[in-house]
Amino acid sequence: MSTTPSVAVDDTTSGPRPGTIDSRFAYLAFAFAFVFGHGAFAVSGGADPLLDLPIWVPLTLLACGIIPGVASSLMAAKRAQKGAGPAEVLSEKLLGNAWATVFVALTLGITGLTTTFDIPSEAQDVLWPTGAVFVVGLINIAEGAARRNVLHYSLGTALALIATAALLFSPPGPFWVLSLAGSTAYLLAAFFEGRRIAALG
């Protein structure tokens, strides 16, 4: 995932610049979730798992990264509305609503597939994490476009591609892809976020 952080600058006079939103903590929190949460699923999955972990272990590790990451992202969205004009505020509110919409749609879609068709349980287990990462990537793309933040847009693009590419592998392959490639994308984003903010002064 490559980007030029310095181009993610909002040079308009209305509303906050993207530089006022520091997403480093959120990126690092999500990287933790990918490394340890999806990583725990990877080492404990498949016909011959490396470790025999109870299901609550990877779920807990995922939550330990996702919950603070989501909270930080929500606070960033709130900060984006401070001093913004009506158009920017509406844009942020629509993006916030999109998070609920896409996950409800994802739940309905996977539930419909699994109840209508005879899909193996292994496939169901893979659809949830890859589907979640895919829709998160799409929302990040929308946020990046709305905030004129090339780095966030690039991260969303990487996540969407990683999630769909993970489906090319049989279990526990998708979890390895999410853990390794997904966490790398977030770590790179955190690194470039620091450079982007420093460049904005």
Side-chain angles (χ1 to χ4, degrees):
M1 179 186 62
S2 62
T3 184
T4 306
S6 60
V7 302
V9 178
D10 179 4
D11 56 3
T12 60
T13 56
S14 63
R17 299 185 305 168
T20 62
I21 300 176
D22 186 348
S23 298
R24 281 177 290 186
F25 179 80
Y27 293 160
L28 291 174
F30 286 123
F32 177 95
F34 274 61
V35 170
F36 295 102
H38 291 307
F41 276 115
V43 299
S44 62
D48 187 21
L50 297 175
L51 294 175
D52 185 17
L53 298 176
I55 188 65
W56 64 265
V57 172
L59 289 176
T60 300
L61 291 171
L62 273 176
C64 286
I66 290 175
I67 291 174
V70 169
S72 178
S73 296
L74 290 175
M75 288 188 289
K78 286 291 184 183
R79 288 195 298 270
Q81 297 180 37
K82 271 190 177 179
E88 288 82 3
V89 171
L90 176 60
S91 178
E92 289 296 329
K93 287 182 177 179
L94 292 175
L95 287 169
N97 292 338
W99 280 98
T101 302
V102 296
F103 276 99
V104 169
L106 178 67
T107 301
L108 291 174
I110 294 178
T111 302
L113 284 173
T114 56
T115 55
T116 305
F117 302 99
D118 187 17
I119 297 179
S121 59
E122 292 84 359
Q124 298 178 33
D125 294 339
V126 168
L127 284 175
W128 286 108
T130 55
V133 174
F134 176 70
V135 297
V136 166
L138 296 183
I139 291 294
N140 283 0
I141 289 173
E143 288 179 339
R147 296 171 185 167
R148 299 170 294 280
N149 187 330
V150 177
L151 175 58
H152 201 65
Y153 183 96
S154 299
L155 173 62
T157 302
L159 292 176
L161 293 174
I162 288 168
T164 49
L167 294 172
L168 298 173
F169 299 87
S170 58
F175 293 104
W176 283 112
V177 173
L178 294 179
S179 177
L180 298 175
S183 63
T184 299
Y186 273 115
L187 289 172
L188 285 173
F191 171 75
F192 283 117
E193 180 77 340
R195 292 183 60 181
R196 181 181 73 87
I197 293 172
L200 291 173

